[in-house]
Amino acid sequence: MVLGIILGVVLAGIDGGKDFVIDWVKPWGTIFVNLLKLIAIPLIVASLLKGILDLKDISKFAKIGGRSILMYVGTTIVAITIGLIIVNLVKPGEGISEETIVTMTENYAGDEGVTSKLTTAEEQGASGPLSFIENMVPSNVFEALGDNGNMLQVIFFVIFFGLAMLLVPPEKTTTIKHFFDGLNDVVLKMVDIIMLSAPFAVLALMATVIVSSESWEILEALLYYGLTVIAGLIIMIIFYLVIMWLFTKKNPFWFLKNLAPAQLLAFTTSSSAATLPVTIERVEEHIGVDKEVSSFVLPVGATINMDGTSLYQAVAAVFIAQALMVDLTFMDQLTIIFTALMASIGSAAVPGAGMVMLVIVLQAVGKFTPEQIAIGLTLIFAVDRPLDMLRTTVNVTGDATVSMVVAKSLGKLGDPHPHEVDEYLDNLSHEDDAEERNDE
Ligand code: ASP
């Protein structure tokens, strides 16, 4: 990561350096992220199905589901409240001069990044109140499996399929069960293999982020806003560690050390969805959460539990109001809590999604004109990427924390059992040697 930052800084200062990074370095990062996304769906299907089939009775499933959803909603409300308190105390928007607002707006008016977010938000906002549930039920399972954005549809199908399997005589489902058991192990091994290239990919991703970032002057104008979000996110991480320690009595440093590779990936890729395979591997093998719990809690969490995102949305909404001198009442702030909660559930687990849903939060407050919303978005756009990296790290940490607490409450937090990528390789070569000797 450090080498990537150094490479980015050095090359950004050289003529043609940025193009070099985009042409020759960035693709390696993209390939790595694609590899992770490639195995996300097979892993969710195999791991969730195995988790459900391992449940000896169906009522346990309701317990896992109920507890995790409750904790997801609870932690998100805490995150939004932290965001609101800190932004109201620091008031980062009041220091923004009109001049800065004009320069920012001129710089980014019509910028593709901003306009595409506004259009996407408009499309999403146009859907009805029940569309969230409606969209969860796919009409074609292969279409759902073919699109990483349809994770909830896949989860719905697998749960439905798994529960139906429990109701069929066991001897009829042995083959299916063995098939998915095997698939699960193979895909987890693919995670190990992909992670061998992580150091190089992280270097490539970091260098790309650095050469694509804005100039320091622009970042400086938004320094207090950025620092406010960062302070909120740090408080949130401390909150997780306290919760985790209170419920499981595990050492917070041990937890962070074992989760670190997933957090690092969340930071560099800005996508909880791309990070999911690694989160699952870390939480199951290195932290010891039983598959029955992690296989449901983590994929669902990656899609609907975004505490970092909702904290950011709360801070950003109030910051924009402060900068544009829009007065927000207590009721308006309550509206922000409610809509940011809904928005974090509805945000896709991909880079920049939190900003799209921010538009919906701003619209719900009802005090911003469409022009003001566009100006507000352009204002914070320059620092969105670094903040996205940080909030994604918090999102992933939140999912892992909830899975640990839920597992503990059900007696499903066991001992870690890490697997090495090459642990079976020795056996293989020994077997080969033995065969060769036999042949001789
Ligand atoms: N990038 C975030 C994630 O994947 C979502 C967001 O806040 O934009 O978790």
Side-chain angles (χ1 to χ4, degrees), residues 281-327:
E281 196 252 3
R282 296 310 295 186
V283 168
E284 280 176 11
E285 293 186 2
H286 297 257
I287 292 181
V289 173
D290 196 290
K291 196 176 290 299
E292 277 177 28
V293 176
S294 59
S295 64
F296 171 77
V297 179
L298 292 174
V300 171
T303 352
I304 69 165
N305 181 47
M306 298 200 181
D307 299 342
T309 301
S310 48
L311 188 149
Y312 146 85
Q313 285 166 342
V315 175
V318 178
F319 168 78
I320 291 171
Q322 289 168 350
L324 302 182
M325 290 184 220
V326 174
D327 255 340

mmCIF file of all heavy atoms in Angstrom, residues 281-327:
data_model
loop_
_atom_site.group_PDB
_atom_site.id
_atom_site.type_symbol
_atom_site.label_atom_id
_atom_site.label_comp_id
_atom_site.label_asym_id
_atom_site.label_seq_id
_atom_site.Cartn_x
_atom_site.Cartn_y
_atom_site.Cartn_z
ATOM 1 N N GLU A 281 -14.032 -15.465 4.259
ATOM 2 C CA GLU A 281 -12.892 -16.334 4.598
ATOM 3 C C GLU A 281 -12.282 -15.942 5.946
ATOM 4 O O GLU A 281 -11.994 -16.799 6.786
ATOM 5 C CB GLU A 281 -11.859 -16.244 3.470
ATOM 6 C CG GLU A 281 -10.832 -17.350 3.483
ATOM 7 C CD GLU A 281 -9.460 -16.871 3.906
ATOM 8 O OE1 GLU A 281 -9.286 -15.678 4.246
ATOM 9 O OE2 GLU A 281 -8.555 -17.682 3.926
ATOM 10 N N ARG A 282 -12.102 -14.639 6.176
ATOM 11 C CA ARG A 282 -11.485 -14.193 7.430
ATOM 12 C C ARG A 282 -12.373 -14.521 8.622
ATOM 13 O O ARG A 282 -11.927 -15.022 9.643
ATOM 14 C CB ARG A 282 -11.218 -12.677 7.423
ATOM 15 C CG ARG A 282 -10.257 -12.156 6.425
ATOM 16 C CD ARG A 282 -8.952 -12.851 6.339
ATOM 17 N NE ARG A 282 -8.104 -12.769 7.502
ATOM 18 C CZ ARG A 282 -6.857 -13.229 7.561
ATOM 19 N NH1 ARG A 282 -6.308 -13.804 6.520
ATOM 20 N NH2 ARG A 282 -6.162 -13.149 8.662
ATOM 21 N N VAL A 283 -13.662 -14.208 8.493
ATOM 22 C CA VAL A 283 -14.568 -14.368 9.631
ATOM 23 C C VAL A 283 -14.761 -15.852 9.976
ATOM 24 O O VAL A 283 -14.770 -16.229 11.148
ATOM 25 C CB VAL A 283 -15.915 -13.663 9.331
ATOM 26 C CG1 VAL A 283 -16.970 -14.049 10.343
ATOM 27 C CG2 VAL A 283 -15.719 -12.155 9.320
ATOM 28 N N GLU A 284 -14.864 -16.698 8.951
ATOM 29 C CA GLU A 284 -15.075 -18.131 9.230
ATOM 30 C C GLU A 284 -13.796 -18.808 9.705
ATOM 31 O O GLU A 284 -13.777 -19.465 10.740
ATOM 32 C CB GLU A 284 -15.568 -18.843 7.973
ATOM 33 C CG GLU A 284 -17.041 -18.645 7.734
ATOM 34 C CD GLU A 284 -17.501 -19.265 6.431
ATOM 35 O OE1 GLU A 284 -16.740 -20.025 5.805
ATOM 36 O OE2 GLU A 284 -18.645 -18.968 6.032
ATOM 37 N N GLU A 285 -12.733 -18.643 8.916
ATOM 38 C CA GLU A 285 -11.529 -19.431 9.201
ATOM 39 C C GLU A 285 -10.633 -18.800 10.265
ATOM 40 O O GLU A 285 -10.028 -19.499 11.047
ATOM 41 C CB GLU A 285 -10.729 -19.643 7.909
ATOM 42 C CG GLU A 285 -11.470 -20.532 6.919
ATOM 43 C CD GLU A 285 -10.638 -20.870 5.693
ATOM 44 O OE1 GLU A 285 -9.471 -20.455 5.616
ATOM 45 O OE2 GLU A 285 -11.182 -21.539 4.795
ATOM 46 N N HIS A 286 -10.536 -17.483 10.262
ATOM 47 C CA HIS A 286 -9.571 -16.845 11.163
ATOM 48 C C HIS A 286 -10.202 -16.313 12.446
ATOM 49 O O HIS A 286 -9.509 -16.044 13.409
ATOM 50 C CB HIS A 286 -8.835 -15.722 10.444
ATOM 51 C CG HIS A 286 -8.018 -16.210 9.291
ATOM 52 N ND1 HIS A 286 -6.659 -16.342 9.338
ATOM 53 C CD2 HIS A 286 -8.387 -16.651 8.063
ATOM 54 C CE1 HIS A 286 -6.225 -16.831 8.193
ATOM 55 N NE2 HIS A 286 -7.253 -17.025 7.386
ATOM 56 N N ILE A 287 -11.528 -16.089 12.431
ATOM 57 C CA ILE A 287 -12.158 -15.579 13.657
ATOM 58 C C ILE A 287 -12.985 -16.677 14.328
ATOM 59 O O ILE A 287 -13.193 -16.658 15.530
ATOM 60 C CB ILE A 287 -12.989 -14.307 13.335
ATOM 61 C CG1 ILE A 287 -12.023 -13.173 12.941
ATOM 62 C CG2 ILE A 287 -13.862 -13.871 14.510
ATOM 63 C CD1 ILE A 287 -12.631 -11.858 12.622
ATOM 64 N N GLY A 288 -13.434 -17.650 13.531
ATOM 65 C CA GLY A 288 -14.102 -18.798 14.140
ATOM 66 C C GLY A 288 -15.620 -18.733 14.199
ATOM 67 O O GLY A 288 -16.244 -19.466 14.973
ATOM 68 N N VAL A 289 -16.220 -17.848 13.374
ATOM 69 C CA VAL A 289 -17.683 -17.806 13.335
ATOM 70 C C VAL A 289 -18.184 -19.000 12.520
ATOM 71 O O VAL A 289 -17.654 -19.274 11.430
ATOM 72 C CB VAL A 289 -18.172 -16.481 12.693
ATOM 73 C CG1 VAL A 289 -19.683 -16.504 12.490
ATOM 74 C CG2 VAL A 289 -17.772 -15.298 13.551
ATOM 75 N N ASP A 290 -19.179 -19.699 13.039
ATOM 76 C CA ASP A 290 -19.696 -20.875 12.348
ATOM 77 C C ASP A 290 -20.367 -20.479 11.028
ATOM 78 O O ASP A 290 -21.016 -19.441 10.932
ATOM 79 C CB ASP A 290 -20.721 -21.558 13.249
ATOM 80 C CG ASP A 290 -21.003 -22.964 12.792
ATOM 81 O OD1 ASP A 290 -21.643 -23.128 11.725
ATOM 82 O OD2 ASP A 290 -20.586 -23.890 13.494
ATOM 83 N N LYS A 291 -20.207 -21.364 10.042
ATOM 84 C CA LYS A 291 -20.769 -21.104 8.721
ATOM 85 C C LYS A 291 -22.278 -20.868 8.756
ATOM 86 O O LYS A 291 -22.818 -20.078 7.982
ATOM 87 C CB LYS A 291 -20.447 -22.292 7.822
ATOM 88 C CG LYS A 291 -20.630 -22.013 6.359
ATOM 89 C CD LYS A 291 -20.221 -23.177 5.506
ATOM 90 C CE LYS A 291 -18.734 -23.414 5.482
ATOM 91 N NZ LYS A 291 -17.969 -22.315 4.956
ATOM 92 N N GLU A 292 -22.951 -21.550 9.680
ATOM 93 C CA GLU A 292 -24.413 -21.367 9.794
ATOM 94 C C GLU A 292 -24.769 -19.897 9.954
ATOM 95 O O GLU A 292 -25.784 -19.431 9.466
ATOM 96 C CB GLU A 292 -24.930 -22.109 11.035
ATOM 97 C CG GLU A 292 -25.183 -23.558 10.809
ATOM 98 C CD GLU A 292 -25.622 -24.246 12.089
ATOM 99 O OE1 GLU A 292 -26.214 -23.585 12.969
ATOM 100 O OE2 GLU A 292 -25.377 -25.451 12.215
ATOM 101 N N VAL A 293 -23.914 -19.179 10.684
ATOM 102 C CA VAL A 293 -24.189 -17.765 10.940
ATOM 103 C C VAL A 293 -23.580 -16.887 9.849
ATOM 104 O O VAL A 293 -24.261 -16.087 9.202
ATOM 105 C CB VAL A 293 -23.627 -17.341 12.320
ATOM 106 C CG1 VAL A 293 -23.821 -15.856 12.562
ATOM 107 C CG2 VAL A 293 -24.295 -18.153 13.419
ATOM 108 N N SER A 294 -22.275 -17.079 9.600
ATOM 109 C CA SER A 294 -21.578 -16.167 8.690
ATOM 110 C C SER A 294 -22.134 -16.226 7.278
ATOM 111 O O SER A 294 -22.185 -15.210 6.586
ATOM 112 C CB SER A 294 -20.094 -16.506 8.661
ATOM 113 O OG SER A 294 -19.951 -17.830 8.238
ATOM 114 N N SER A 295 -22.579 -17.414 6.847
ATOM 115 C CA SER A 295 -23.003 -17.543 5.455
ATOM 116 C C SER A 295 -24.266 -16.738 5.180
ATOM 117 O O SER A 295 -24.547 -16.386 4.044
ATOM 118 C CB SER A 295 -23.231 -19.015 5.110
ATOM 119 O OG SER A 295 -24.296 -19.504 5.892
ATOM 120 N N PHE A 296 -25.034 -16.449 6.205
ATOM 121 C CA PHE A 296 -26.225 -15.606 6.010
ATOM 122 C C PHE A 296 -25.908 -14.147 6.360
ATOM 123 O O PHE A 296 -26.171 -13.225 5.585
ATOM 124 C CB PHE A 296 -27.380 -16.107 6.880
ATOM 125 C CG PHE A 296 -28.565 -15.175 6.888
ATOM 126 C CD1 PHE A 296 -29.431 -15.139 5.800
ATOM 127 C CD2 PHE A 296 -28.798 -14.330 7.953
ATOM 128 C CE1 PHE A 296 -30.504 -14.269 5.787
ATOM 129 C CE2 PHE A 296 -29.870 -13.453 7.958
ATOM 130 C CZ PHE A 296 -30.736 -13.424 6.868
ATOM 131 N N VAL A 297 -25.294 -13.977 7.526
ATOM 132 C CA VAL A 297 -25.113 -12.617 8.061
ATOM 133 C C VAL A 297 -24.199 -11.764 7.170
ATOM 134 O O VAL A 297 -24.478 -10.591 6.937
ATOM 135 C CB VAL A 297 -24.563 -12.685 9.509
ATOM 136 C CG1 VAL A 297 -24.339 -11.302 10.069
ATOM 137 C CG2 VAL A 297 -25.541 -13.439 10.402
ATOM 138 N N LEU A 298 -23.119 -12.363 6.644
ATOM 139 C CA LEU A 298 -22.167 -11.538 5.884
ATOM 140 C C LEU A 298 -22.678 -11.095 4.513
ATOM 141 O O LEU A 298 -22.612 -9.895 4.204
ATOM 142 C CB LEU A 298 -20.816 -12.247 5.774
ATOM 143 C CG LEU A 298 -20.072 -12.378 7.112
ATOM 144 C CD1 LEU A 298 -18.818 -13.214 6.948
ATOM 145 C CD2 LEU A 298 -19.719 -11.008 7.686
ATOM 146 N N PRO A 299 -23.208 -11.993 3.667
ATOM 147 C CA PRO A 299 -23.725 -11.493 2.380
ATOM 148 C C PRO A 299 -24.884 -10.517 2.557
ATOM 149 O O PRO A 299 -24.970 -9.512 1.855
ATOM 150 C CB PRO A 299 -24.199 -12.749 1.646
ATOM 151 C CG PRO A 299 -23.660 -13.890 2.376
ATOM 152 C CD PRO A 299 -23.287 -13.464 3.753
ATOM 153 N N VAL A 300 -25.768 -10.801 3.511
ATOM 154 C CA VAL A 300 -26.882 -9.871 3.739
ATOM 155 C C VAL A 300 -26.321 -8.535 4.234
ATOM 156 O O VAL A 300 -26.715 -7.464 3.778
ATOM 157 C CB VAL A 300 -27.892 -10.454 4.752
ATOM 158 C CG1 VAL A 300 -28.924 -9.421 5.156
ATOM 159 C CG2 VAL A 300 -28.591 -11.663 4.148
ATOM 160 N N GLY A 301 -25.344 -8.622 5.149
ATOM 161 C CA GLY A 301 -24.738 -7.396 5.691
ATOM 162 C C GLY A 301 -24.082 -6.564 4.602
ATOM 163 O O GLY A 301 -24.215 -5.346 4.565
ATOM 164 N N ALA A 302 -23.355 -7.248 3.694
ATOM 165 C CA ALA A 302 -22.666 -6.500 2.629
ATOM 166 C C ALA A 302 -23.668 -5.713 1.795
ATOM 167 O O ALA A 302 -23.351 -4.649 1.269
ATOM 168 C CB ALA A 302 -21.883 -7.466 1.743
ATOM 169 N N THR A 303 -24.875 -6.219 1.695
ATOM 170 C CA THR A 303 -25.864 -5.527 0.859
ATOM 171 C C THR A 303 -26.675 -4.496 1.645
ATOM 172 O O THR A 303 -26.972 -3.430 1.121
ATOM 173 C CB THR A 303 -26.866 -6.543 0.255
ATOM 174 O OG1 THR A 303 -26.426 -7.846 0.544
ATOM 175 C CG2 THR A 303 -27.029 -6.360 -1.200
ATOM 176 N N ILE A 304 -27.056 -4.819 2.873
ATOM 177 C CA ILE A 304 -27.968 -3.876 3.543
ATOM 178 C C ILE A 304 -27.369 -3.142 4.742
ATOM 179 O O ILE A 304 -27.914 -2.148 5.186
ATOM 180 C CB ILE A 304 -29.293 -4.556 3.984
ATOM 181 C CG1 ILE A 304 -29.056 -5.545 5.121
ATOM 182 C CG2 ILE A 304 -29.990 -5.234 2.824
ATOM 183 C CD1 ILE A 304 -30.355 -5.953 5.802
ATOM 184 N N ASN A 305 -26.239 -3.626 5.261
ATOM 185 C CA ASN A 305 -25.709 -2.955 6.455
ATOM 186 C C ASN A 305 -24.525 -2.072 6.078
ATOM 187 O O ASN A 305 -23.440 -2.565 5.824
ATOM 188 C CB ASN A 305 -25.259 -3.997 7.484
ATOM 189 C CG ASN A 305 -24.738 -3.343 8.748
ATOM 190 O OD1 ASN A 305 -25.375 -2.436 9.287
ATOM 191 N ND2 ASN A 305 -23.584 -3.760 9.216
ATOM 192 N N MET A 306 -24.757 -0.783 6.017
ATOM 193 C CA MET A 306 -23.678 0.130 5.627
ATOM 194 C C MET A 306 -23.625 1.277 6.614
ATOM 195 O O MET A 306 -24.144 2.361 6.361
ATOM 196 C CB MET A 306 -23.924 0.649 4.228
ATOM 197 C CG MET A 306 -23.940 -0.438 3.207
ATOM 198 S SD MET A 306 -23.663 0.204 1.605
ATOM 199 C CE MET A 306 -23.759 -1.286 0.660
ATOM 200 N N ASP A 307 -22.988 1.017 7.751
ATOM 201 C CA ASP A 307 -22.945 2.033 8.801
ATOM 202 C C ASP A 307 -22.059 3.205 8.409
ATOM 203 O O ASP A 307 -22.385 4.362 8.669
ATOM 204 C CB ASP A 307 -22.425 1.403 10.102
ATOM 205 C CG ASP A 307 -23.340 0.282 10.576
ATOM 206 O OD1 ASP A 307 -24.489 0.254 10.116
ATOM 207 O OD2 ASP A 307 -22.909 -0.550 11.387
ATOM 208 N N GLY A 308 -20.915 2.883 7.778
ATOM 209 C CA GLY A 308 -20.014 3.953 7.353
ATOM 210 C C GLY A 308 -20.706 4.866 6.351
ATOM 211 O O GLY A 308 -20.624 6.094 6.423
ATOM 212 N N THR A 309 -21.438 4.248 5.432
ATOM 213 C CA THR A 309 -22.146 5.014 4.403
ATOM 214 C C THR A 309 -23.215 5.908 5.028
ATOM 215 O O THR A 309 -23.345 7.084 4.676
ATOM 216 C CB THR A 309 -22.795 4.039 3.392
ATOM 217 O OG1 THR A 309 -21.758 3.251 2.823
ATOM 218 C CG2 THR A 309 -23.551 4.760 2.306
ATOM 219 N N SER A 310 -23.983 5.361 5.962
ATOM 220 C CA SER A 310 -25.072 6.174 6.524
ATOM 221 C C SER A 310 -24.514 7.291 7.408
ATOM 222 O O SER A 310 -25.064 8.400 7.434
ATOM 223 C CB SER A 310 -26.069 5.301 7.292
ATOM 224 O OG SER A 310 -25.390 4.455 8.158
ATOM 225 N N LEU A 311 -23.395 7.027 8.093
ATOM 226 C CA LEU A 311 -22.765 8.088 8.898
ATOM 227 C C LEU A 311 -22.311 9.222 7.962
ATOM 228 O O LEU A 311 -22.549 10.406 8.210
ATOM 229 C CB LEU A 311 -21.572 7.499 9.642
ATOM 230 C CG LEU A 311 -20.880 8.371 10.686
ATOM 231 C CD1 LEU A 311 -20.310 7.480 11.789
ATOM 232 C CD2 LEU A 311 -19.773 9.237 10.153
ATOM 233 N N TYR A 312 -21.698 8.813 6.858
ATOM 234 C CA TYR A 312 -21.232 9.799 5.868
ATOM 235 C C TYR A 312 -22.404 10.606 5.305
ATOM 236 O O TYR A 312 -22.325 11.819 5.126
ATOM 237 C CB TYR A 312 -20.474 9.045 4.768
ATOM 238 C CG TYR A 312 -20.607 9.625 3.386
ATOM 239 C CD1 TYR A 312 -19.771 10.659 2.961
ATOM 240 C CD2 TYR A 312 -21.567 9.150 2.495
ATOM 241 C CE1 TYR A 312 -19.902 11.197 1.698
ATOM 242 C CE2 TYR A 312 -21.701 9.675 1.233
ATOM 243 C CZ TYR A 312 -20.869 10.699 0.836
ATOM 244 O OH TYR A 312 -21.009 11.243 -0.418
ATOM 245 N N GLN A 313 -23.512 9.908 5.026
ATOM 246 C CA GLN A 313 -24.668 10.619 4.460
ATOM 247 C C GLN A 313 -25.210 11.658 5.431
ATOM 248 O O GLN A 313 -25.593 12.758 5.034
ATOM 249 C CB GLN A 313 -25.768 9.620 4.078
ATOM 250 C CG GLN A 313 -25.429 8.869 2.804
ATOM 251 C CD GLN A 313 -26.303 7.663 2.558
ATOM 252 O OE1 GLN A 313 -26.957 7.161 3.472
ATOM 253 N NE2 GLN A 313 -26.315 7.176 1.335
ATOM 254 N N ALA A 314 -25.231 11.301 6.719
ATOM 255 C CA ALA A 314 -25.709 12.255 7.720
ATOM 256 C C ALA A 314 -24.804 13.484 7.755
ATOM 257 O O ALA A 314 -25.273 14.632 7.714
ATOM 258 C CB ALA A 314 -25.763 11.590 9.092
ATOM 259 N N VAL A 315 -23.489 13.250 7.797
ATOM 260 C CA VAL A 315 -22.549 14.375 7.849
ATOM 261 C C VAL A 315 -22.665 15.205 6.568
ATOM 262 O O VAL A 315 -22.763 16.444 6.613
ATOM 263 C CB VAL A 315 -21.085 13.877 8.029
ATOM 264 C CG1 VAL A 315 -20.114 15.049 7.946
ATOM 265 C CG2 VAL A 315 -20.925 13.151 9.346
ATOM 266 N N ALA A 316 -22.682 14.532 5.419
ATOM 267 C CA ALA A 316 -22.703 15.256 4.145
ATOM 268 C C ALA A 316 -23.979 16.087 4.006
ATOM 269 O O ALA A 316 -23.925 17.245 3.561
ATOM 270 C CB ALA A 316 -22.586 14.261 2.992
ATOM 271 N N ALA A 317 -25.123 15.527 4.402
ATOM 272 C CA ALA A 317 -26.391 16.260 4.251
ATOM 273 C C ALA A 317 -26.367 17.548 5.074
ATOM 274 O O ALA A 317 -26.713 18.628 4.576
ATOM 275 C CB ALA A 317 -27.557 15.375 4.677
ATOM 276 N N VAL A 318 -25.914 17.433 6.327
ATOM 277 C CA VAL A 318 -25.891 18.626 7.180
ATOM 278 C C VAL A 318 -24.803 19.597 6.708
ATOM 279 O O VAL A 318 -24.986 20.817 6.714
ATOM 280 C CB VAL A 318 -25.692 18.234 8.664
ATOM 281 C CG1 VAL A 318 -25.615 19.462 9.548
ATOM 282 C CG2 VAL A 318 -26.825 17.328 9.119
ATOM 283 N N PHE A 319 -23.671 19.060 6.246
ATOM 284 C CA PHE A 319 -22.601 19.924 5.730
ATOM 285 C C PHE A 319 -23.109 20.762 4.550
ATOM 286 O O PHE A 319 -22.877 21.975 4.476
ATOM 287 C CB PHE A 319 -21.418 19.042 5.285
ATOM 288 C CG PHE A 319 -20.373 19.779 4.489
ATOM 289 C CD1 PHE A 319 -19.447 20.596 5.118
ATOM 290 C CD2 PHE A 319 -20.308 19.658 3.101
ATOM 291 C CE1 PHE A 319 -18.483 21.277 4.381
ATOM 292 C CE2 PHE A 319 -19.362 20.337 2.363
ATOM 293 C CZ PHE A 319 -18.442 21.143 2.999
ATOM 294 N N ILE A 320 -23.811 20.106 3.643
ATOM 295 C CA ILE A 320 -24.331 20.835 2.472
ATOM 296 C C ILE A 320 -25.319 21.908 2.934
ATOM 297 O O ILE A 320 -25.292 23.057 2.460
ATOM 298 C CB ILE A 320 -24.989 19.844 1.476
ATOM 299 C CG1 ILE A 320 -23.904 18.966 0.851
ATOM 300 C CG2 ILE A 320 -25.779 20.578 0.400
ATOM 301 C CD1 ILE A 320 -24.426 17.818 0.011
ATOM 302 N N ALA A 321 -26.164 21.550 3.898
ATOM 303 C CA ALA A 321 -27.127 22.534 4.417
ATOM 304 C C ALA A 321 -26.389 23.722 5.042
ATOM 305 O O ALA A 321 -26.739 24.880 4.792
ATOM 306 C CB ALA A 321 -28.030 21.868 5.457
ATOM 307 N N GLN A 322 -25.336 23.432 5.809
ATOM 308 C CA GLN A 322 -24.575 24.522 6.432
ATOM 309 C C GLN A 322 -23.918 25.407 5.369
ATOM 310 O O GLN A 322 -23.978 26.634 5.431
ATOM 311 C CB GLN A 322 -23.488 23.948 7.351
ATOM 312 C CG GLN A 322 -24.033 23.322 8.621
ATOM 313 C CD GLN A 322 -22.967 22.505 9.370
ATOM 314 O OE1 GLN A 322 -21.877 22.247 8.861
ATOM 315 N NE2 GLN A 322 -23.305 22.072 10.584
ATOM 316 N N ALA A 323 -23.313 24.778 4.364
ATOM 317 C CA ALA A 323 -22.600 25.554 3.342
ATOM 318 C C ALA A 323 -23.562 26.405 2.519
ATOM 319 O O ALA A 323 -23.249 27.529 2.143
ATOM 320 C CB ALA A 323 -21.815 24.609 2.439
ATOM 321 N N LEU A 324 -24.752 25.877 2.254
ATOM 322 C CA LEU A 324 -25.711 26.618 1.417
ATOM 323 C C LEU A 324 -26.686 27.435 2.270
ATOM 324 O O LEU A 324 -27.661 27.983 1.755
ATOM 325 C CB LEU A 324 -26.491 25.651 0.510
ATOM 326 C CG LEU A 324 -25.645 24.782 -0.424
ATOM 327 C CD1 LEU A 324 -26.538 23.910 -1.293
ATOM 328 C CD2 LEU A 324 -24.750 25.636 -1.312
ATOM 329 N N MET A 325 -26.408 27.481 3.565
ATOM 330 C CA MET A 325 -27.226 28.246 4.518
ATOM 331 C C MET A 325 -28.700 27.855 4.499
ATOM 332 O O MET A 325 -29.589 28.706 4.462
ATOM 333 C CB MET A 325 -27.051 29.735 4.265
ATOM 334 C CG MET A 325 -25.661 30.173 4.660
ATOM 335 S SD MET A 325 -25.516 31.908 4.460
ATOM 336 C CE MET A 325 -23.919 32.079 3.798
ATOM 337 N N VAL A 326 -28.924 26.565 4.503
ATOM 338 C CA VAL A 326 -30.295 26.057 4.617
ATOM 339 C C VAL A 326 -30.466 25.649 6.083
ATOM 340 O O VAL A 326 -29.643 24.887 6.603
ATOM 341 C CB VAL A 326 -30.497 24.824 3.703
ATOM 342 C CG1 VAL A 326 -31.856 24.196 3.922
ATOM 343 C CG2 VAL A 326 -30.310 25.207 2.252
ATOM 344 N N ASP A 327 -31.493 26.188 6.737
ATOM 345 C CA ASP A 327 -31.694 25.861 8.158
ATOM 346 C C ASP A 327 -32.338 24.496 8.319
ATOM 347 O O ASP A 327 -33.360 24.218 7.696
ATOM 348 C CB ASP A 327 -32.621 26.914 8.788
ATOM 349 C CG ASP A 327 -31.812 27.851 9.653
ATOM 350 O OD1 ASP A 327 -30.693 27.450 10.032
ATOM 351 O OD2 ASP A 327 -32.296 28.973 9.923
#
